[in-house]
C-alpha cells in the first residue's frame, strides 16, 4: 500500500467547472497535509495546507480533511486554463511524503 | 528572502560515473529534504534531515547514494556509481523548525541524465 495515494489522472474539466482532486494516506500519525501544484518542468509550489478536520477555503481553492477516513481532497472552483498542472498531495507525520500526483487539464 | 539554491541545474554523466549535487536551504530552516522525481511520478523522499541529524533515509539506496548536511546548513547528495535508472530530477527542499508552519519550499532541482 502506498503511503499517499491520489486518484489517477489525467483529469480533464471544461473552463469554469469544478475540479475535484482526491488523496488518501495510510499513516494515522500524519498531522499536516499539503497540496502542491507543479507545472511541467518546474518545482512544486504550495497552494494549500490543512491541519484540522473539515474544510479550509482560500479563494477558488477548498481543501477538505477527514482524519477518520484518512482522506484529503482539493476542490478548484471556476477552473481556468492556467490551473492546468499536476497536483501533488503530501502528508507529514515525522517525514513529508508525496503522492504520485494527478494531472489536471482545463479546456477553454 | 532567498529561496532554496541548488546546483548544478543539469548534469549528464555516463553510467558507473559518480555525481554530486549541492543544496543551500533557506536561512534558518532546520529541516532539509532530498527527493527524487522520475518523469511522470511524484517526488520520492530519499532523505530528510533535522539540523544535522537524519530523520528518515529508508528510501535511500545506500549502496550507491550518500548524503550529508554540514553544520546543519548546506547539504550534498552523491551517487556512486550511477545507473541508468537514476535519471531523474533531484529536488532539495527545506522547511522551518518544527512548531511553526512546516511548509516545504523547493529549489529548482537538478536534472540528471545517465547515459
Amino acid at each position: 500500500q502506498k503511503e499517499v495515494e491520489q486518484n489517477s489522472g489525467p483529469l480533464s474539466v471544461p473552463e469554469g467547472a469544478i475540479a475535484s482532486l482526491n488523496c488518501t494516506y495510510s499513516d494515522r500519525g500524519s498531522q499536516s497535509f499539503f497540496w502542491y501544484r507543479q507545472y511541467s518542468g518546474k518545482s512544486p509550489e504550495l497552494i494549500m495546507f490543512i491541519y484540522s478536520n473539515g474544510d479550509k477555503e482560500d479563494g477558488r481553492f477548498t481543501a477538505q480533511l477527514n482524519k477518520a477516513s484518512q482522506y484529503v481532497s482539493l476542490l478548484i472552483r471556476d477552473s481556468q486554463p492556467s490551473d492546468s498542472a499536476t497536483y501533488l498531495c503530501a502528508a507529514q507525520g515525522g517525514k513529508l511524503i508525496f503522492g504520485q500526483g494527478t494531472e489536471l487539464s482545463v479546456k477553454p | 528572502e532567498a529561496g532554496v539554491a541548488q546546483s548544478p541545474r543539469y548534469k549528464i554523466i555516463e553510467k558507473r560515473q559518480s555525481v554530486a549535487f549541492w543544496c543551500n536551504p533557506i536561512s534558518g530552516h532546520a529541516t532539509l529534504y532530498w527527493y527524487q522525481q522520475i518523469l511522470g511520478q511524484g517526488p520520492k523522499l530519499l532523505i530528510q534531515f533535522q539540523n544535522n541529524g537524519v530523520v528518515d533515509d529508508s528510501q535511500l539506496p545506500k549502496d550507491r547514494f550518500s548524503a550529508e548536511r554540514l553544520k546543519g546548513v548546506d547539504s550534498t547528495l552523491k551517487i556512486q556509481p550511477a545507473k541508468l535508472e537514476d535519471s531523474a530530477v533531484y529536488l532539495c527542499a527545506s522547511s522551518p523548525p518544527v512548531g511553526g508552519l512546516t511548509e516545504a519550499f523547493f529549489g529548482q532541482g537538478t536534472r540528471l541524465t545517465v547515459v
Side-chain angles (χ1 to χ4, degrees):
Chain A
Q1 181 189 12
K2 293 180 181 178
E3 292 186 70
V4 177
E5 195 148 5
Q6 299 184 234
N7 51 324
S8 58
L11 176 66
S12 182
V13 300
E15 183 174 357
I18 296 175
S20 177
L21 303 162
N22 304 314
C23 172
T24 57
Y25 60 95
S26 60
D27 181 5
R28 286 195 173 274
S30 298
Q31 299 172 341
S32 307
F33 304 88
F34 304 88
W35 284 99
Y36 282 79
R37 177 176 61 200
Q38 186 173 31
Y39 291 114
S40 181
K42 301 295 185 182
S43 295
E45 56 178 346
L46 182 76
I47 52 173
M48 289 284 292
F49 64 89
I50 187 166
Y51 301 144
S52 304
N53 276 329
D55 296 358
K56 180 181 179 183
E57 187 174 319
D58 183 1
R60 297 186 295 113
F61 298 94
T62 299
Q64 299 173 317
L65 173 61
N66 184 326
K67 290 185 177 180
S69 300
Q70 296 177 248
Y71 175 84
V72 191
S73 67
L74 179 71
L75 298 177
I76 306 175
R77 291 182 300 280
D78 187 24
S79 296
Q80 301 297 310
S82 58
D83 295 327
S84 297
T86 296
Y87 289 79
L88 298 164
C89 172
Q92 185 160 43
K95 53 186 179 179
L96 181 61
I97 301 298
F98 283 80
Q100 75 272 31
T102 300
E103 184 181 348
L104 172 66
S105 177
V106 181
K107 302 297 185 183
Chain B
E1 179 182 71
V4 176
Q6 288 189 247
S7 67
R9 288 293 312 279
Y10 305 93
K11 190 74 177 179
I12 301 175
I13 62 172
E14 295 182 349
K15 59 184 179 183
R16 292 187 290 274
Q17 285 188 323
S18 62
V19 65
F21 312 128
W22 174 82
C23 174
N24 185 19
I26 294 172
S27 178
H29 279 196
T31 306
L32 186 147
Y33 314 82
W34 281 103
Y35 289 91
Q36 179 193 59
Q37 188 171 28
I38 293 171
L39 187 65
Q41 299 182 18
K44 172 187 170 185
L45 179 65
L46 293 177
I47 189 166
Q48 178 176 330
F49 292 98
Q50 180 75 22
N51 296 311
N52 286 344
V54 175
V55 172
D56 188 272
D57 63 357
S58 58
Q59 295 293 300
L60 188 73
K62 297 179 185 64
D63 58 334
R64 299 185 301 107
F65 286 64
S66 64
E68 61 178 2
R69 190 176 185 192
L70 304 175
K71 300 180 181 178
V73 182
D74 292 10
S75 179
T76 56
L77 176 69
K78 297 179 181 178
I79 307 175
Q80 181 179 12
K83 294 184 175 181
L84 296 176
E85 59 261 37
D86 298 331
S87 294
V89 175
Y90 290 84
L91 294 164
C92 179
S94 68
S95 62
V98 174
L101 177 62
T102 55
E103 170 192 358
F105 295 83
F106 283 85
Q108 292 184 296
T110 296
R111 183 176 298 276
L112 173 67
T113 302
V114 182
V115 297

